Amino acid sequence: MRRVVVTGIGALTPIGNNIEAFWEGLSNGKSGAAPITRFDASLFKTQFACEVKNFDPKEHLDRREARRLDLFTQFAMVAAEQAMQDAALDIEKINQNKAGVIWGSGIGGLRSLEEGIQDNAVSDGPPRYNPFMIPKMIPDIAAGHISIKYGFKGLNYATVSACASSTHALINSLDYIRMGRADIILTGGSEAAVAEAGIGGFNSMKALSQRNDDPATASRPFDLERDGFVLGEGAGAILLEEYEHAKARGAKIYAELVGGGMTADAHHITAPHPDGEGAIRVMRESLEDAKMSPEDIDYINVHGTSTPLGDVAESKAIQSVFGDWAYALNISSTKSMTGHLLGAAGALESIACILAMQHNMVPPTINHFTDDPDIDPRLNLTFNKAQPKEIRAALSNTFGFGGHNSSVIFRKI
């Protein structure tokens, strides 16, 4: 099968609005959590989130176009533009029929749906829905807008698998390029669920941290006193390209995407399998797909959401898959800084892996205060401070409601 490499990356995140700022935030252990500004959250149990800061869509998009795009699509367009510029891809010199877009979002245009319903709730007359409400809301629309902008006429669709969405997008992209169905795929994910329905819905599930007195330390993966995840928003974009195609045009190559795994827990709609059974299989499947052994991996960017059940299950799964090597590699959860970007998490955390390899630096798991006796202290969870390390290959895990598990592996080239 053909080889697949990364030639462009872009990121719009709660800790930085481009790749350079994102890496600076990661390497310095910056928290993106703060009181919510998008709406009045004073009546909610959780009143904070990891929002994208200082984002003005008019700086990136035509004013009329911006009004017709939900925030999750605006985020997607900005991150995609960064990745395209980074890749220095001349659209006129490629086969646009072999260029595609696969984009992940777990929720899509939640704010547009919410606003459409609220507008009609206060109306005394007949329902009057905005004609753009549906095109703004549907999760596949970001992929459509990206393809229209760049003239990518090949495969084009969205992956929707909750928090595993953008990792599934990456794996689908890997497979299509391997098989020769595409030469270039712009992939990734975006999410903008910091809305009343997002906070209220996750609050009702008791999934979110309620540490309103100290938002910056609320996301604390693997800490004994973790009390739920912090909702994040933003986008990550990755331009994947067939290796010989990239070489022929003299492209900068960040890393090779060498493998991916996809499994299901078939256990519970929201809770992980207590023994991490699905997580074990997905990591083994990704290693097998990459034709690598556990000892080839130097860093794991874990799903690590800061939930009581999930963090323990994932740590056990890593020990099961990696054996004694689990104590030699580095592990960290960058969600401690960015919050949980839901369907965009996999793309952003894959970029974190790529940057970690590039800089030979493992970003930390911040906000660790108290050890959890259910988590093996021999695991190097890179607590509180980035650690220098030669990283030959990195694995990223993402798991979603519904029991969806996905993992990808990147390798230096």
Side-chain angles (χ1 to χ4, degrees), residues 36 44-49 193 195-212 218 226-232 305-308 340 342 401:
I36 290 170
F44 289 82
K45 294 178 181 177
T46 297
Q47 299 166 12
F48 60 93
E196 292 185 33
I199 295 293
F202 283 119
N203 265 161
S204 69
M205 298 171 61
K206 303 186 186 305
L208 296 180
S209 170
Q210 298 179 25
R211 208 176 294 275
N212 295 307
R226 62 192 182 276
D227 68 331
F229 71 83
V230 177
L231 188 59
T305 57
S306 185
T307 55
H340 191 352
L342 307 179
F401 285 173

Side-chain angles (χ1 to χ4, degrees), residues 318-329:
I318 290 170
Q319 289 176 282
S320 178
V321 172
F322 289 87
D324 289 341
W325 187 251
Y327 311 120
L329 52 76

Side-chain angles (χ1 to χ4, degrees), residues 257-299:
L257 177 54
V258 290
M262 300 180 283
T263 67
D265 277 358
H267 169 69
H268 190 273
I269 59 170
T270 57
H273 191 284
D275 297 323
E277 190 271 341
I280 291 169
R281 287 187 294 110
V282 81
M283 285 187 280
R284 285 178 175 163
E285 186 175 296
S286 63
L287 286 166
E288 182 180 352
D289 187 45
K291 297 179 173 56
M292 297 174 75
S293 66
E295 292 76 19
D296 293 322
I297 304 298
D298 296 307
Y299 169 51

Side-chain angles (χ1 to χ4, degrees), residues 324-354:
D324 289 341
W325 187 251
Y327 311 120
L329 52 76
N330 275 71
I331 301 164
S332 74
S333 171
T334 49
K335 288 185 180 73
S336 60
M337 295 172 276
T338 65
H340 191 352
L341 271 71
L342 307 179
L348 196 63
E349 289 156 17
S350 290
I351 292 170
C353 288
I354 293 164

Side-chain angles (χ1 to χ4, degrees), residues 368-380:
H368 182 73
F369 304 98
T370 308
D371 290 342
D372 184 339
D374 291 331
I375 296 173
D376 194 327
R378 293 175 295 173
L379 294 172
N380 183 357

Side-chain angles (χ1 to χ4, degrees), residues 74-399:
Q74 294 177 7
F75 288 163
M77 298 297 283
V78 173
E81 177 67 16
Q82 291 179 17
M84 289 291 287
Q85 291 181 354
D86 187 39
L89 185 67
D90 188 340
I91 299 171
E92 301 300 322
K93 294 183 179 180
I94 65 170
N95 181 352
Q96 292 177 323
N97 295 326
K98 296 294 287 289
V101 182
I102 305 177
W103 199 260
S105 184
I107 293 180
L110 180 63
R111 295 176 76 235
S112 294
L113 175 62
E114 181 181 83
E115 289 166 2
I117 293 170
Q118 289 174 342
D119 288 346
N120 280 282
V122 298
S123 173
D124 294 330
R128 294 178 60 88
Y129 284 91
N130 188 312
F132 289 99
M133 189 191 80
I134 299 299
K136 289 172 71 173
M137 177 196 76
I138 52 180
D140 66 291
I141 204 67
H145 279 290
I146 293 169
S147 72
I148 291 168
K149 180 172 182 177
Y150 299 109
F152 283 10
K153 299 179 180 180
L155 52 90
N156 182 271
Y157 64 91
T159 50
V160 181
S161 47
C163 308
S165 297
S166 55
T167 305
H168 279 145
L170 278 162
I171 296 169
N172 286 181
S173 301
L174 168 67
D175 289 340
Y176 279 123
I177 297 175
R178 277 173 165 176
M179 294 186 296
R181 299 286 296 275
D183 295 329
I184 295 169
I185 298 179
L186 185 49
T187 186
S190 59
E191 208 77 88
V194 182
E196 292 185 33
I199 295 293
F202 283 119
N203 265 161
S204 69
M205 298 171 61
K206 303 186 186 305
L208 296 180
S209 170
Q210 298 179 25
R211 208 176 294 275
N212 295 307
D213 57 336
D214 192 9
T217 68
S219 182
R220 46 180 74 185
F222 306 109
D223 188 88
L224 177 64
E225 297 181 358
R226 62 192 182 276
D227 68 331
F229 71 83
V230 177
L231 188 59
E233 64 178 13
I238 300 174
L239 191 75
L240 293 179
E241 194 167 347
E242 192 272 324
Y243 177 55
E244 296 298 336
H245 188 281
K247 279 187 16 179
R249 70 177 188 88
K252 169 182 61 181
I253 295 176
Y254 282 98
E256 182 175 4
L257 177 54
V258 290
M262 300 180 283
T263 67
D265 277 358
H267 169 69
H268 190 273
I269 59 170
T270 57
H273 191 284
D275 297 323
E277 190 271 341
I280 291 169
R281 287 187 294 110
V282 81
M283 285 187 280
R284 285 178 175 163
E285 186 175 296
S286 63
L287 286 166
E288 182 180 352
D289 187 45
K291 297 179 173 56
M292 297 174 75
S293 66
E295 292 76 19
D296 293 322
I297 304 298
D298 296 307
Y299 169 51
I300 301 176
N301 188 300
V302 289
H303 187 56
T305 57
S306 185
T307 55
L309 296 177
D311 292 0
V312 172
E314 189 171 9
S315 68
K316 289 179 179 178
I318 290 170
Q319 289 176 282
S320 178
V321 172
F322 289 87
D324 289 341
W325 187 251
Y327 311 120
L329 52 76
N330 275 71
I331 301 164
S332 74
S333 171
T334 49
K335 288 185 180 73
S336 60
M337 295 172 276
T338 65
H340 191 352
L341 271 71
L342 307 179
L348 196 63
E349 289 156 17
S350 290
I351 292 170
C353 288
I354 293 164
L355 293 172
M357 287 192 294
Q358 184 182 35
H359 294 279
N360 288 315
M361 182 71 69
V362 179
T365 305
I366 66 169
N367 299 329
H368 182 73
F369 304 98
T370 308
D371 290 342
D372 184 339
D374 291 331
I375 296 173
D376 194 327
R378 293 175 295 173
L379 294 172
N380 183 357
L381 295 164
T382 322
F383 285 135
N384 296 326
K385 187 177 180 180
Q387 294 179 12
K389 185 183 185 73
E390 174 68 27
I391 303 173
R392 302 162 298 164
L395 181 149
S396 176
N397 283 333
T398 46
F399 313 136

